[in-house]
Amino acid sequence: MKSFLSRYKHAWILSYGFIYLPWFMYLEKTVTRNYHIIHTWLDDLIPFNEYFIIPYYLWFFYVGGAILYFFFKNPQEYYRMCTFLFTGMTLSLLICTFYHNGTDLRPVVDPDKNVFTWMVALLHKADTSTNIFPSVHVFNSIGVHIAIAKSSCFKDRPWVVRLSFILAVSICVSTVVLKQHSVVDGFGAMVMSYALYPLVYGEGYASSRRKVTRKALS
């Protein structure tokens, strides 16, 4: 155990979960009324499709699997991806803390229709329709794909990058097709990704992170 902890000192950044989860759960319990409804005409043009629950749930494996992969394979890229993801997630929480928001897009779903509507019904029970802007689902999908596309680990495996892109796009589409999010939430996540990209994937961050990583692994 001592050897493991010495080798994987970079696990400390995962303690962010002890900040994010209680904060998010607090917002879920307290933002229940008097919040701004996010709903546009474009949302009404998008049909509901329960089959997109599959990519929506795959998000958990996509993000979690990427973090674990880079954790063991490349600490530098792991630090960079976590910095990108956790910064955006914190900004999302801050926005929802001061700008209470939600949606009224969710349709009535018959859980007995098929296994997919049953899965959607489970999602509705577990997740409220508040604290949706910007979409963390969309932001993290973009962040993970950027990490995979930029990684030296997949230079000789372009098919991995292509599959990642397809899955990331499918997850982003699922958020609006399942009526979990408005297109505004997805657009907000894309803007946040665009703003954070040069800060995390610019050369200034890269050189400083290499120094920190070498020191941590020494």
Side-chain angles (χ1 to χ4, degrees):
M1 178 61 72
K2 189 175 181 179
S3 174
F4 179 88
L5 293 175
S6 177
R7 183 177 180 182
Y8 298 109
K9 294 177 182 177
H10 49 289
W12 69 269
I13 199 171
L14 297 180
S15 61
Y16 173 74
F18 294 108
I19 298 174
Y20 180 83
L21 289 175
W23 192 349
F24 177 74
M25 293 306 298
Y26 170 78
L27 290 174
E28 288 286 273
K29 291 180 179 179
T30 56
V31 181
T32 57
R33 57 181 182 174
N34 299 325
Y35 53 82
H36 181 252
I37 298 293
I38 300 176
H39 186 154
T40 71
W41 62 270
L42 188 55
D43 296 314
D44 296 328
L45 298 179
I46 301 172
F48 173 81
N49 189 314
E50 69 267 22
Y51 299 113
F52 274 84
I53 192 64
I54 300 301
Y56 190 88
Y57 276 141
L58 283 177
W59 175 84
F60 296 96
F61 299 97
Y62 183 52
V63 176
I67 290 175
L68 284 177
Y69 178 84
F70 288 116
F71 176 86
F72 290 106
K73 191 72 175 180
N74 192 317
Q76 284 186 359
E77 294 180 5
Y78 156 84
Y79 267 123
R80 186 178 289 192
M81 183 180 70
C82 286
T83 300
F84 187 90
L85 297 182
F86 299 165
T87 301
M89 291 163 70
T90 302
L91 289 174
S92 178
L93 289 175
L94 283 169
I95 291 170
C96 290
T97 298
F98 295 102
Y99 166 52
H100 294 174
N101 60 83
T103 183
D104 58 357
L105 295 169
R106 287 183 178 182
V108 176
V109 176
D110 178 10
D112 297 323
K113 178 183 175 183
N114 55 49
V115 66
F116 303 104
T117 54
W118 175 75
M119 293 169 70
V120 172
L122 286 181
L123 175 63
H124 288 178
K125 287 183 179 179
D127 188 20
T128 71
S129 58
T130 58
N131 308 307
I132 59 171
F133 178 85
S135 170
V136 172
H137 246 69
V138 172
F139 176 80
N140 280 3
S141 297
I142 294 172
V144 169
H145 178 66
I146 289 173
I148 292 173
K150 299 281 290 184
S151 174
S152 58
C153 300
F154 303 111
K155 282 187 175 180
D156 300 324
R157 287 179 284 177
W159 61 270
V160 174
V161 179
R162 287 194 289 267
L163 285 177
S164 170
F165 177 77
I166 293 171
L167 180 55
V169 171
S170 298
I171 293 171
C172 294
V173 171
S174 76
T175 63
V176 292
V177 172
L178 290 174
K179 305 300 180 178
Q180 285 291 107
H181 286 277
S182 165
V183 292
V184 175
D185 308 327
F187 180 74
M190 288 187 281
V191 170
M192 191 162 65
S193 301
Y194 181 81
L196 288 177
Y197 179 84
L199 299 178
V200 177
Y201 285 92
E203 282 305 311
Y205 176 89
S207 59
S208 63
R209 190 66 263 169
R210 280 194 290 268
K211 293 178 182 178
V212 173
T213 303
R214 282 197 295 267
K215 187 177 294 184
L217 296 176
S218 62

CSV table of all heavy atoms in Angstrom, one decimal, residues 132-172:
chain,number,residue,atom,x,y,z
A,132,ILE,N,-29.2,22.9,-14.4
A,132,ILE,CA,-28.9,22.3,-15.7
A,132,ILE,C,-28.0,23.2,-16.6
A,132,ILE,O,-27.4,22.7,-17.6
A,132,ILE,CB,-30.2,22.1,-16.5
A,132,ILE,CG1,-31.0,23.4,-16.7
A,132,ILE,CG2,-31.1,21.1,-15.8
A,132,ILE,CD1,-32.1,23.3,-17.7
A,133,PHE,N,-27.7,24.4,-16.2
A,133,PHE,CA,-26.9,25.3,-17.1
A,133,PHE,C,-25.6,25.7,-16.4
A,133,PHE,O,-25.7,26.2,-15.2
A,133,PHE,CB,-27.7,26.6,-17.4
A,133,PHE,CG,-26.9,27.6,-18.2
A,133,PHE,CD1,-26.9,27.5,-19.6
A,133,PHE,CD2,-26.2,28.6,-17.6
A,133,PHE,CE1,-26.2,28.4,-20.3
A,133,PHE,CE2,-25.5,29.5,-18.3
A,133,PHE,CZ,-25.4,29.4,-19.7
A,134,PRO,N,-24.5,25.5,-17.1
A,134,PRO,CA,-24.3,24.8,-18.3
A,134,PRO,C,-24.3,23.3,-18.1
A,134,PRO,O,-24.1,22.9,-17.0
A,134,PRO,CB,-23.0,25.3,-18.8
A,134,PRO,CG,-22.2,25.6,-17.6
A,134,PRO,CD,-23.3,26.1,-16.6
A,135,SER,N,-24.5,22.6,-19.2
A,135,SER,CA,-24.6,21.1,-19.0
A,135,SER,C,-23.3,20.5,-18.7
A,135,SER,O,-22.3,20.6,-19.5
A,135,SER,CB,-25.2,20.5,-20.3
A,135,SER,OG,-25.0,19.1,-20.3
A,136,VAL,N,-23.1,19.8,-17.6
A,136,VAL,CA,-21.9,19.1,-17.2
A,136,VAL,C,-21.7,17.9,-18.1
A,136,VAL,O,-20.6,17.5,-18.4
A,136,VAL,CB,-21.9,18.7,-15.7
A,136,VAL,CG1,-20.8,17.8,-15.4
A,136,VAL,CG2,-21.9,20.0,-14.8
A,137,HIS,N,-22.8,17.3,-18.5
A,137,HIS,CA,-22.8,16.1,-19.4
A,137,HIS,C,-22.1,16.5,-20.7
A,137,HIS,O,-21.2,15.8,-21.2
A,137,HIS,CB,-24.2,15.6,-19.7
A,137,HIS,CG,-24.5,14.3,-19.2
A,137,HIS,ND1,-24.6,14.0,-17.8
A,137,HIS,CD2,-24.7,13.1,-19.8
A,137,HIS,CE1,-24.8,12.7,-17.7
A,137,HIS,NE2,-24.9,12.1,-18.9
A,138,VAL,N,-22.5,17.7,-21.3
A,138,VAL,CA,-21.9,18.1,-22.5
A,138,VAL,C,-20.4,18.6,-22.3
A,138,VAL,O,-19.5,18.2,-23.0
A,138,VAL,CB,-22.7,19.3,-23.1
A,138,VAL,CG1,-22.0,19.9,-24.3
A,138,VAL,CG2,-24.1,18.8,-23.5
A,139,PHE,N,-20.2,19.4,-21.2
A,139,PHE,CA,-18.9,19.9,-21.0
A,139,PHE,C,-17.9,18.8,-20.8
A,139,PHE,O,-16.8,18.8,-21.3
A,139,PHE,CB,-18.9,20.8,-19.8
A,139,PHE,CG,-17.5,21.3,-19.4
A,139,PHE,CD1,-16.9,22.4,-20.0
A,139,PHE,CD2,-16.8,20.7,-18.4
A,139,PHE,CE1,-15.7,22.8,-19.7
A,139,PHE,CE2,-15.5,21.1,-18.0
A,139,PHE,CZ,-15.0,22.2,-18.7
A,140,ASN,N,-18.2,17.8,-19.9
A,140,ASN,CA,-17.3,16.7,-19.7
A,140,ASN,C,-17.0,15.8,-20.9
A,140,ASN,O,-15.9,15.3,-21.1
A,140,ASN,CB,-17.8,15.9,-18.5
A,140,ASN,CG,-17.4,16.5,-17.1
A,140,ASN,OD1,-16.9,17.6,-17.1
A,140,ASN,ND2,-17.8,15.8,-16.1
A,141,SER,N,-18.0,15.7,-21.7
A,141,SER,CA,-17.9,14.9,-22.9
A,141,SER,C,-16.9,15.6,-23.9
A,141,SER,O,-16.0,14.9,-24.4
A,141,SER,CB,-19.2,14.7,-23.6
A,141,SER,OG,-20.1,14.0,-22.8
A,142,ILE,N,-17.0,16.9,-24.0
A,142,ILE,CA,-16.1,17.7,-24.8
A,142,ILE,C,-14.7,17.6,-24.2
A,142,ILE,O,-13.7,17.3,-24.9
A,142,ILE,CB,-16.5,19.1,-24.9
A,142,ILE,CG1,-17.8,19.3,-25.6
A,142,ILE,CG2,-15.4,20.0,-25.5
A,142,ILE,CD1,-18.4,20.6,-25.6
A,143,GLY,N,-14.6,17.7,-22.8
A,143,GLY,CA,-13.3,17.6,-22.2
A,143,GLY,C,-12.6,16.3,-22.3
A,143,GLY,O,-11.4,16.3,-22.6
A,144,VAL,N,-13.3,15.2,-22.2
A,144,VAL,CA,-12.7,13.9,-22.4
A,144,VAL,C,-12.2,13.7,-23.8
A,144,VAL,O,-11.1,13.2,-24.0
A,144,VAL,CB,-13.7,12.8,-21.9
A,144,VAL,CG1,-13.2,11.4,-22.4
A,144,VAL,CG2,-13.9,12.8,-20.4
A,145,HIS,N,-13.1,14.1,-24.8
A,145,HIS,CA,-12.6,13.9,-26.2
A,145,HIS,C,-11.4,14.8,-26.5
A,145,HIS,O,-10.5,14.3,-27.2
A,145,HIS,CB,-13.8,14.3,-27.1
A,145,HIS,CG,-13.3,14.1,-28.6
A,145,HIS,ND1,-13.0,12.9,-29.1
A,145,HIS,CD2,-13.1,15.1,-29.5
A,145,HIS,CE1,-12.6,13.1,-30.4
A,145,HIS,NE2,-12.7,14.4,-30.6
A,146,ILE,N,-11.3,16.0,-26.0
A,146,ILE,CA,-10.1,16.8,-26.2
A,146,ILE,C,-8.9,16.1,-25.6
A,146,ILE,O,-7.9,16.0,-26.3
A,146,ILE,CB,-10.3,18.2,-25.5
A,146,ILE,CG1,-11.3,19.0,-26.3
A,146,ILE,CG2,-9.0,18.9,-25.5
A,146,ILE,CD1,-11.7,20.3,-25.6
A,147,ALA,N,-9.0,15.5,-24.4
A,147,ALA,CA,-7.9,14.8,-23.8
A,147,ALA,C,-7.5,13.6,-24.6
A,147,ALA,O,-6.3,13.4,-24.8
A,147,ALA,CB,-8.3,14.4,-22.4
A,148,ILE,N,-8.4,12.9,-25.1
A,148,ILE,CA,-8.1,11.7,-26.0
A,148,ILE,C,-7.5,12.1,-27.3
A,148,ILE,O,-6.5,11.6,-27.8
A,148,ILE,CB,-9.4,10.9,-26.2
A,148,ILE,CG1,-9.8,10.2,-24.9
A,148,ILE,CG2,-9.1,9.8,-27.3
A,148,ILE,CD1,-11.1,9.5,-25.0
A,149,ALA,N,-8.1,13.2,-27.9
A,149,ALA,CA,-7.6,13.6,-29.2
A,149,ALA,C,-6.2,14.2,-29.1
A,149,ALA,O,-5.4,14.1,-30.0
A,149,ALA,CB,-8.5,14.7,-29.8
A,150,LYS,N,-5.9,14.9,-28.0
A,150,LYS,CA,-4.6,15.5,-27.8
A,150,LYS,C,-3.5,14.6,-27.2
A,150,LYS,O,-2.3,14.9,-27.2
A,150,LYS,CB,-4.7,16.7,-26.8
A,150,LYS,CG,-5.6,17.8,-27.3
A,150,LYS,CD,-5.0,18.7,-28.3
A,150,LYS,CE,-3.9,19.6,-27.7
A,150,LYS,NZ,-3.3,20.5,-28.6
A,151,SER,N,-3.9,13.4,-26.8
A,151,SER,CA,-3.0,12.5,-26.1
A,151,SER,C,-2.0,11.8,-27.0
A,151,SER,O,-2.3,11.4,-28.1
A,151,SER,CB,-3.8,11.4,-25.4
A,151,SER,OG,-3.0,10.4,-24.8
A,152,SER,N,-0.8,11.7,-26.5
A,152,SER,CA,0.2,11.0,-27.2
A,152,SER,C,0.0,9.5,-27.2
A,152,SER,O,0.6,8.8,-28.0
A,152,SER,CB,1.6,11.3,-26.6
A,152,SER,OG,1.6,10.9,-25.2
A,153,CYS,N,-0.9,9.1,-26.3
A,153,CYS,CA,-1.1,7.6,-26.2
A,153,CYS,C,-1.9,7.1,-27.4
A,153,CYS,O,-1.9,5.9,-27.6
A,153,CYS,CB,-2.0,7.4,-24.9
A,153,CYS,SG,-1.2,7.9,-23.4
A,154,PHE,N,-2.6,7.9,-28.1
A,154,PHE,CA,-3.4,7.5,-29.2
A,154,PHE,C,-3.0,8.0,-30.6
A,154,PHE,O,-3.7,8.0,-31.5
A,154,PHE,CB,-4.9,7.9,-29.0
A,154,PHE,CG,-5.4,7.4,-27.6
A,154,PHE,CD1,-5.7,8.3,-26.6
A,154,PHE,CD2,-5.6,6.0,-27.4
A,154,PHE,CE1,-6.2,7.8,-25.4
A,154,PHE,CE2,-6.1,5.6,-26.2
A,154,PHE,CZ,-6.4,6.5,-25.2
A,155,LYS,N,-1.7,8.4,-30.7
A,155,LYS,CA,-1.2,8.9,-32.0
A,155,LYS,C,-1.2,7.8,-33.0
A,155,LYS,O,-1.4,8.1,-34.2
A,155,LYS,CB,0.2,9.4,-31.8
A,155,LYS,CG,0.3,10.8,-31.2
A,155,LYS,CD,1.7,11.3,-31.2
A,155,LYS,CE,1.7,12.8,-30.7
A,155,LYS,NZ,3.1,13.3,-30.7
A,156,ASP,N,-1.0,6.5,-32.6
A,156,ASP,CA,-1.0,5.4,-33.5
A,156,ASP,C,-2.3,4.7,-33.6
A,156,ASP,O,-2.4,3.6,-34.2
A,156,ASP,CB,0.2,4.4,-33.2
A,156,ASP,CG,1.5,5.1,-33.2
A,156,ASP,OD1,1.7,6.0,-34.1
A,156,ASP,OD2,2.4,4.8,-32.4
A,157,ARG,N,-3.3,5.2,-32.9
A,157,ARG,CA,-4.6,4.6,-32.8
A,157,ARG,C,-5.7,5.6,-33.1
A,157,ARG,O,-6.5,5.9,-32.3
A,157,ARG,CB,-4.8,3.9,-31.5
A,157,ARG,CG,-4.0,2.6,-31.3
A,157,ARG,CD,-4.2,2.0,-29.9
A,157,ARG,NE,-3.6,2.8,-28.9
A,157,ARG,CZ,-3.7,2.5,-27.5
A,157,ARG,NH1,-4.4,1.5,-27.2
A,157,ARG,NH2,-3.0,3.2,-26.7
A,158,PRO,N,-5.7,6.1,-34.4
A,158,PRO,CA,-6.7,7.1,-34.7
A,158,PRO,C,-8.2,6.6,-34.6
A,158,PRO,O,-9.1,7.4,-34.4
A,158,PRO,CB,-6.4,7.5,-36.1
A,158,PRO,CG,-5.7,6.3,-36.7
A,158,PRO,CD,-4.9,5.7,-35.5
A,159,TRP,N,-8.4,5.3,-34.6
A,159,TRP,CA,-9.7,4.8,-34.5
A,159,TRP,C,-10.3,5.1,-33.1
A,159,TRP,O,-11.5,5.2,-33.0
A,159,TRP,CB,-9.7,3.3,-34.8
A,159,TRP,CG,-8.9,2.5,-33.9
A,159,TRP,CD1,-7.6,2.1,-34.1
A,159,TRP,CD2,-9.3,1.8,-32.7
A,159,TRP,NE1,-7.1,1.4,-33.0
A,159,TRP,CE2,-8.2,1.2,-32.2
A,159,TRP,CE3,-10.5,1.8,-32.0
A,159,TRP,CZ2,-8.2,0.4,-31.0
A,159,TRP,CZ3,-10.5,1.1,-30.8
A,159,TRP,CH2,-9.4,0.4,-30.3
A,160,VAL,N,-9.4,5.1,-32.1
A,160,VAL,CA,-9.9,5.4,-30.8
A,160,VAL,C,-10.4,6.9,-30.7
A,160,VAL,O,-11.4,7.1,-30.1
A,160,VAL,CB,-8.7,5.2,-29.7
A,160,VAL,CG1,-9.2,5.7,-28.3
A,160,VAL,CG2,-8.3,3.8,-29.7
A,161,VAL,N,-9.7,7.8,-31.3
A,161,VAL,CA,-10.1,9.2,-31.4
A,161,VAL,C,-11.4,9.3,-32.1
A,161,VAL,O,-12.3,10.1,-31.7
A,161,VAL,CB,-9.0,10.0,-32.0
A,161,VAL,CG1,-9.5,11.5,-32.1
A,161,VAL,CG2,-7.7,9.9,-31.3
A,162,ARG,N,-11.6,8.6,-33.2
A,162,ARG,CA,-12.8,8.6,-34.0
A,162,ARG,C,-14.0,8.1,-33.2
A,162,ARG,O,-15.1,8.7,-33.2
A,162,ARG,CB,-12.7,7.9,-35.3
A,162,ARG,CG,-11.8,8.6,-36.3
A,162,ARG,CD,-12.0,8.0,-37.7
A,162,ARG,NE,-11.4,6.7,-37.8
A,162,ARG,CZ,-10.2,6.4,-38.2
A,162,ARG,NH1,-9.4,7.4,-38.5
A,162,ARG,NH2,-9.7,5.2,-38.2
A,163,LEU,N,-13.8,7.0,-32.5
A,163,LEU,CA,-14.9,6.4,-31.6
A,163,LEU,C,-15.2,7.3,-30.5
A,163,LEU,O,-16.4,7.5,-30.1
A,163,LEU,CB,-14.4,5.0,-31.1
A,163,LEU,CG,-14.4,3.9,-32.1
A,163,LEU,CD1,-13.9,2.6,-31.4
A,163,LEU,CD2,-15.8,3.6,-32.6
A,164,SER,N,-14.2,8.0,-29.9
A,164,SER,CA,-14.4,8.9,-28.9
A,164,SER,C,-15.3,10.1,-29.4
A,164,SER,O,-16.2,10.6,-28.7
A,164,SER,CB,-13.1,9.5,-28.3
A,164,SER,OG,-13.3,10.6,-27.5
A,165,PHE,N,-15.0,10.6,-30.6
A,165,PHE,CA,-15.8,11.7,-31.1
A,165,PHE,C,-17.2,11.3,-31.3
A,165,PHE,O,-18.1,12.0,-31.0
A,165,PHE,CB,-15.1,12.1,-32.5
A,165,PHE,CG,-15.9,13.2,-33.1
A,165,PHE,CD1,-15.8,14.5,-32.7
A,165,PHE,CD2,-16.8,12.9,-34.2
A,165,PHE,CE1,-16.5,15.5,-33.3
A,165,PHE,CE2,-17.5,13.9,-34.8
A,165,PHE,CZ,-17.4,15.2,-34.4
A,166,ILE,N,-17.4,10.1,-31.9
A,166,ILE,CA,-18.8,9.6,-32.1
A,166,ILE,C,-19.6,9.5,-30.8
A,166,ILE,O,-20.7,9.9,-30.6
A,166,ILE,CB,-18.8,8.3,-32.8
A,166,ILE,CG1,-18.3,8.4,-34.2
A,166,ILE,CG2,-20.2,7.6,-32.8
A,166,ILE,CD1,-18.0,7.1,-35.0
A,167,LEU,N,-18.9,9.0,-29.7
A,167,LEU,CA,-19.5,8.8,-28.4
A,167,LEU,C,-19.8,10.2,-27.8
A,167,LEU,O,-20.9,10.4,-27.2
A,167,LEU,CB,-18.7,7.9,-27.5
A,167,LEU,CG,-19.2,7.7,-26.1
A,167,LEU,CD1,-20.6,7.1,-26.2
A,167,LEU,CD2,-18.3,6.8,-25.3
A,168,ALA,N,-18.8,11.1,-27.9
A,168,ALA,CA,-19.0,12.4,-27.3
A,168,ALA,C,-20.2,13.1,-27.9
A,168,ALA,O,-21.0,13.7,-27.2
A,168,ALA,CB,-17.7,13.2,-27.4
A,169,VAL,N,-20.3,13.1,-29.2
A,169,VAL,CA,-21.4,13.7,-30.0
A,169,VAL,C,-22.7,13.1,-29.6
A,169,VAL,O,-23.7,13.8,-29.3
A,169,VAL,CB,-21.2,13.7,-31.5
A,169,VAL,CG1,-22.4,14.2,-32.2
A,169,VAL,CG2,-20.0,14.5,-31.9
A,170,SER,N,-22.7,11.7,-29.5
A,170,SER,CA,-23.9,11.0,-29.1
A,170,SER,C,-24.4,11.4,-27.7
A,170,SER,O,-25.6,11.6,-27.5
A,170,SER,CB,-23.7,9.5,-29.2
A,170,SER,OG,-23.4,9.1,-30.5
A,171,ILE,N,-23.5,11.6,-26.8
A,171,ILE,CA,-23.8,12.0,-25.4
A,171,ILE,C,-24.4,13.4,-25.4
A,171,ILE,O,-25.4,13.7,-24.8
A,171,ILE,CB,-22.6,11.9,-24.5
A,171,ILE,CG1,-22.2,10.4,-24.3
A,171,ILE,CG2,-22.9,12.5,-23.2
A,171,ILE,CD1,-20.9,10.2,-23.6
A,172,CYS,N,-23.8,14.3,-26.2
A,172,CYS,CA,-24.3,15.7,-26.3
A,172,CYS,C,-25.7,15.7,-26.9
A,172,CYS,O,-26.5,16.5,-26.3
A,172,CYS,CB,-23.3,16.5,-27.1
A,172,CYS,SG,-21.7,16.7,-26.3
